[in-house]
Amino acid sequence: MTPTATGFAPTTTPLHTHTGPAIEITGRMGPRYDEILTPEAVAFLAELHHRFSGRRHDRLADRMRTRYEIGNGRDPKFRDDTAHIREDAEWQVAGAGPGLEDRRVEITGPTDPKMTINALNSGAKVWLADQEDATSPTWKNVIEGQLSLFDAIRGRLTFTSPASETAPGKEYRVTAERTPTIVMRPRGWHLVEKHIRYTDRAGRDFAASGSLVDFGLYFFHNAKQLIANGRGPYFYIAKLESSEEARLWDEIFTFSEEYVGIPHGTIRATVLIETLPAAFEMEEILFELRDHIAGLNAGRWDYIFSMIKNYRGRGARFVLPDRSQVTMTVPFMRAYTELLVKTCHKRGAFAIGGMSAFIPNRRDPEVTERAFEKVAADKKREAGDGFDGTWVAHPDLIPVAQAEFDAVLGDRPNQVDRQRPEVDVQAEQLLDVHIGLPITAEGVHGNVSVAVRYIEAWLRGLGAVAIDNLMEDAATAEISRSQVWQWIHQDRETEDGTRITREYVEGLLARVLGEVDRFEGDRFDDAAEVFREVALRDEFPAFLTLTAYAKHLVDAD
């Protein structure tokens, strides 16, 4: 029997009830799925969708209008209608909740049992439990990720690796005395959950919102237990594009707190500033979420993707060179991060830096040493700029990153009190993409190779993928395919004078398929088709994951 729900679950706070809207679970029910998809939890999802799904669609329509306007020559700017918010020096945000006072090193990763245990044993201050870009949203990953978190929060998560012919399975468990504070990242507003259907009062049937499903199930089951553990229900909010989207999340938080009977402001969010429109509304986003927000994060890979996406048709001056050359020190990235730190500290919020995704290569110590030097330099720059913490993707990077933040912070948990009055970022600086470096044949090939290899793994249910000594997630594939699309449509050439055409890229695609190690059950042919759909056609899909999820992502039995 599949769970369904209408109306409200019982709650300690009396709320108005209604009839009509319903949630239906159409996905296969696996072991223990009923512990997550309880009637009460499903009823909560129904109520979230009844109250907020229509406004989600409105905000997605706003995004389309913004992209259309930028594409037609209207650059984003700091808003005149919200100037009073930026000019009011008095208001401050809620700031850190319990367990979030010191965030100097945060580890990121998906929520499968083994990765959950590794993260909780890592020694990081915070774990970004990622149901978004580091998770391929198969039904199994979505629900079993919730189970991993459910068990971990209650101190009972274990994992046994499969046994082989020569060795028994190995058991993994959480052994750290102090585990990182969990900050869970639900899927962005654009993604749906096709295994859950929502029927509104008018009888219209929709796929459920991935955001509301991920947030709702985690919050409903774990909020009170997290509070009892001395922490709280904390969330990373991805891919926001406006303060109106932030206001929607704030109202969801307020409603949810009331629904389960916990104090207003218990939820803490950290918003990733990883879209170009959001960079122009940082203060407004903080203001709308001021009762619930702890800080902002510089989501740098998605930010580069957003820049390409919005300016992909605006001419040669908005074309970026090889992905490897778009570093944090190029003009538009430098302006964006400087503004983020100043804005956060002005309002009492944490500023969290970007990802270092290197995976130590134990067979090549020299490669690892050089990479560690680059990571240390990156984290030294962030700590010196005023960031309060940073991200890493591998436990071995934690000491490297922490040493640089320790050198600046000392015994202080953060440097929120450090203001940046010398920073004065203008709109044109956020749009200064001039780098002055060429596109190389190696860069084009690298983009095709990384995108295809990542998409192939994603279609098999892997969202965090080791590629060329880096832990990659969907953002890298998005940058890679977007650059290829833009180079083709802007009639660009490589450094040696070769035009980047569809035919040229098709040749590279064939080359990549010949270079990879094929295996039984691989999805490389499907990955190549997804790549063609998102990089080689006239249309530009807003997210490759939308195309891949709708047409190609199939749960294995």
Side-chain angles (χ1 to χ4, degrees), residues 374-391:
K374 290 181 179 179
V375 171
D378 183 53
K379 302 315 178 187
K380 181 177 183 178
R381 175 190 52 77
E382 287 185 330
D385 285 347
F387 281 95
D388 304 288
T390 192
W391 283 5

Side-chain angles (χ1 to χ4, degrees), residues 259-391:
Y259 189 94
V260 302
I262 62 177
H264 177 76
T266 302
I267 291 173
R268 287 291 192 275
T270 303
V271 171
L272 291 105
I273 301 299
E274 54 185 349
T275 69
L276 178 64
F280 287 85
E281 298 190 33
M282 293 187 204
E283 279 193 84
E284 291 88 338
I285 288 168
L286 289 171
F287 180 80
E288 294 294 350
L289 280 159
R290 59 194 179 279
D291 290 349
H292 291 110
I293 198 162
L296 303 177
N297 166 269
R300 54 196 186 188
W301 307 130
D302 269 298
Y303 190 76
I304 295 168
F305 163 53
S306 180
M307 178 66 79
I308 300 166
K309 176 165 61 176
N310 281 284
Y311 278 89
R312 66 188 184 277
R314 287 281 297 272
R317 73 185 184 93
F318 290 102
V319 174
L320 296 173
D322 289 1
R323 176 167 50 90
S324 62
Q325 300 298 331
V326 188
T327 66
M328 296 306 297
T329 59
V330 302
F332 77 99
M333 296 298 288
R334 184 67 179 157
Y336 145 72
T337 54
E338 290 275 88
L339 180 60
L340 189 146
V341 172
K342 178 178 182 175
T343 301
C344 284
H345 289 182
K346 175 182 177 182
R347 302 302 181 180
F350 283 63
I352 307 299
M355 171 69 80
S356 290
F358 177 72
I359 302 171
N361 186 332
R362 306 195 188 286
R363 291 175 295 183
D364 194 335
E366 289 186 10
V367 168
T368 297
E369 184 178 357
R370 288 195 299 271
F372 276 12
E373 290 173 357
K374 290 181 179 179
V375 171
D378 183 53
K379 302 315 178 187
K380 181 177 183 178
R381 175 190 52 77
E382 287 185 330
D385 285 347
F387 281 95
D388 304 288
T390 192
W391 283 5

Side-chain angles (χ1 to χ4, degrees), residues 98-114:
L100 286 178
E101 300 88 353
D102 187 334
R103 305 178 63 169
R104 65 188 70 196
V105 184
E106 305 190 358
I107 193 166
T108 72
T111 55
D112 60 273
K114 185 177 179 181

Side-chain angles (χ1 to χ4, degrees), residues 17 75 127 329 368 408 496 510 517:
T17 61
D75 290 334
W127 173 40
T329 59
T368 297
V408 173
D496 62 7
D517 294 325

